[in-house]
Amino acid sequence: MSLLNLEQALANMLDRLPLPTTQEQISLDQSANRILAEDIFSPLNVPSFDNSAMDGYAVRVEDLAENNTLTVAGKSFAGNPFTQTMAKGQCVRIMTGAKVPAEANAVVMQEDTTVNADGSVTFNCQPKLNQNIRRVGEDIKQGALVLAKGSLLNVTTLPLLASLGIATVSVYPRLKVAILSTGDELVSVGKPLNEGQIYDTNRFAVRLMLEKLNCEIMDYGILPDDPELFEKTFTEAQRTADVLITSGGVSVGEADFTKDVLEKLGEIGFWKIAMKPGKPFAFGRLEKSWFFGLPGNPVSALVTFYQLVQPALLKLAGNTPEKIANFSPNLTAYTSEPLKKSVGRQDFQRGFFYENEQGQLVVKPIGKQGSHIFSAFNESNCFIVLEKDRGNVAVNEKVTIQPFNHLLK
Ligand code: AMP
Ligand code: MG
């Protein structure tokens, strides 16, 4: 089997995966971290009335051109507007956010005024037309597109909908994801280790990343390397889950049964991807769910999840194409140390990037780069992405880095 470029694998996969077809109507209060299933147009102008950006006095600019002292006709407070008319030669005491009287065309901040003994106000400078007035619709026009279908409802978007008085939204369903680890050698934390056994790391990594992606998780635990048990469990899991994610058993060892079982149950592609760590990776369709088979090595499992499964789940969850394409954008940095790299696979080395005194981004490789060395992640904040055809990298050469997104923080 020849090696497939990561880019090609990703494109094949995203091409096959559909956007969600169902949606549900939920209250805005319950919508954090959900994906919008509708375009939202503003039902209001924002602001919905002309209001003051300052504490001060609402005036007519023309009046002050003639006489710099005006009498006070009344007050306009936020939530308590001035309801009479402001006659020529008058001003209105006004607070930030309060409605500007219809006759006024500027607000002068109180620091630029003097209140006289008789209650009149003297203005110390000539205001400009419209100064300190936030006009109707200046932020958002009624009917304008506010948020597009596929937007994530988070701290930058959800309050915007609240400011428009939108109480319910249509969102895509949360993805149901079944997970399991395979391997006779695996033991769950809390149990003693016998000779030759190791603790299951991958389910923790996968579960935590799925939580960050706001998926509903169905945890099927550890499966010993037994093809009949695989068949039974996969069949059951895919019945209710949208996606099944396994780890281990996808290479060519004698206990690697994932392949045989999946070929029997569904339509599965086994890929050797030209990436390091990573390489063996399975993607396909079971009767009722999508399937991703991660490699067993914990670093490989994490890297393939991040690079392949993450964008796939973003698409299945209904995110915008822009979000899917930019789930973890790249930067360029100078490497502080030489990097070992063999031609033929795209490397995702772990690194720590920072800005040096000259304001340049520098990246330092962290720890040993083997696919079984998990501890290096802890001190890293990015992947150093080295192109497939590149060889060893000398100190101070430019390299592409991919800062970890929220999944790895
Ligand atoms: P496999 O792909 O099943 O051959 O596994 C490759 C390597 O990863 C072996 O050294 C396994 O022991 C190890 N491995 C597999 N699954 C896990 C897991 N869930 N947690 C930690 N190590 C694992
Ligand atoms: Mg195994």
Side-chain angles (χ1 to χ4, degrees), residues 181-183 185-186 198-203 225 247-251 255-256 280 294-298:
S181 295
T182 70
E185 73 281 28
L186 300 180
I198 59 169
Y199 285 116
D200 174 13
T201 317
N202 294 344
R203 235 163 3 106
D225 292 312
S247 77
V250 286
S251 39
D256 291 335
L294 307 176
N297 270 309

Side-chain angles (χ1 to χ4, degrees), residues 34-69:
R34 301 293 294 266
I35 309 295
L36 259 187
E38 58 178 343
D39 288 334
I40 301 231
F41 298 93
S42 181
L44 309 171
N45 279 308
V46 179
S48 58
F49 52 91
D50 290 347
N51 71 87
S52 176
M54 289 284 174
D55 292 331
Y57 295 88
V59 300
R60 233 185 326 257
V61 170
E62 311 84 88
D63 292 2
L64 284 174
E66 292 170 20
N67 180 350
N68 70 350
T69 298

Side-chain angles (χ1 to χ4, degrees), residues 193-407:
L193 279 187
N194 292 324
E195 202 182 327
Q197 293 185 322
I198 59 169
Y199 285 116
D200 174 13
T201 317
N202 294 344
R203 235 163 3 106
F204 279 90
V206 170
R207 204 163 54 201
L208 288 172
M209 290 189 283
L210 289 172
E211 279 170 10
K212 298 267 176 92
L213 290 166
N214 199 24
C215 297
E216 258 176 55
I217 300 164
M218 300 149 67
D219 192 340
Y220 282 83
I222 297 170
L223 291 195
D225 292 312
D226 168 357
E228 272 175 35
L229 191 58
F230 276 28
E231 191 174 331
K232 187 171 152 282
T233 313
F234 292 5
T235 305
E236 185 191 321
Q238 60 92 42
R239 235 177 250 140
T240 36
D242 301 305
V243 175
L244 169 59
I245 301 175
T246 67
S247 77
V250 286
S251 39
V252 291
E254 284 185 22
D256 291 335
F257 299 121
T258 309
K259 185 175 166 156
D260 304 338
V261 172
L262 290 167
E263 276 171 349
K264 191 167 160 194
L265 294 182
E267 176 216 331
I268 300 289
F270 283 84
W271 292 340
K272 283 196 174 168
I273 300 182
M275 67 189 286
K276 188 183 163 195
K279 205 151 121 185
F281 180 81
F283 163 66
R285 176 89 204 151
L286 301 175
E287 194 190 342
K288 295 223 162 86
S289 85
W290 295 95
F291 180 87
F292 300 96
L294 307 176
N297 270 309
V299 177
S300 308
L302 195 153
V303 172
T304 48
F305 184 100
Y306 190 88
Q307 302 296 344
L308 287 152
V309 181
Q310 173 175 204
L313 297 181
L314 288 176
K315 176 146 189 205
L316 289 171
N319 287 272
T320 59
E322 296 73 33
K323 172 72 184 278
I324 300 166
N326 294 296
F327 68 91
S328 190
N330 292 334
L331 297 172
T332 301
Y334 295 93
T335 177
S336 67
E337 287 172 34
L339 305 170
K340 277 186 76 173
K341 165 73 171 60
S342 41
V343 174
R345 282 161 79 183
Q346 184 180 14
D347 265 22
F348 289 89
Q349 303 195 5
R350 273 70 66 208
F352 180 84
F353 78 99
Y354 57 95
E355 198 177 76
N356 69 11
E357 282 168 5
Q358 289 79 49
Q360 295 164 324
L361 287 187
V362 176
V363 66
K364 176 177 150 40
I366 298 292
K368 298 195 192 122
Q369 298 289 344
S371 59
H372 58 296
I373 312 276
F374 199 83
S375 55
F377 266 115
N378 178 27
E379 292 161 45
S380 309
N381 62 2
C382 68
F383 289 114
I384 306 173
V385 188
L386 299 176
E387 300 76 2
K388 187 178 159 203
D389 297 328
R390 197 162 178 177
N392 286 331
V393 179
V395 65
N396 278 334
E397 270 188 46
K398 273 190 187 173
V399 291
T400 299
I401 60 169
Q402 187 184 40
F404 293 162
N405 70 14
H406 69 293
L407 251 58

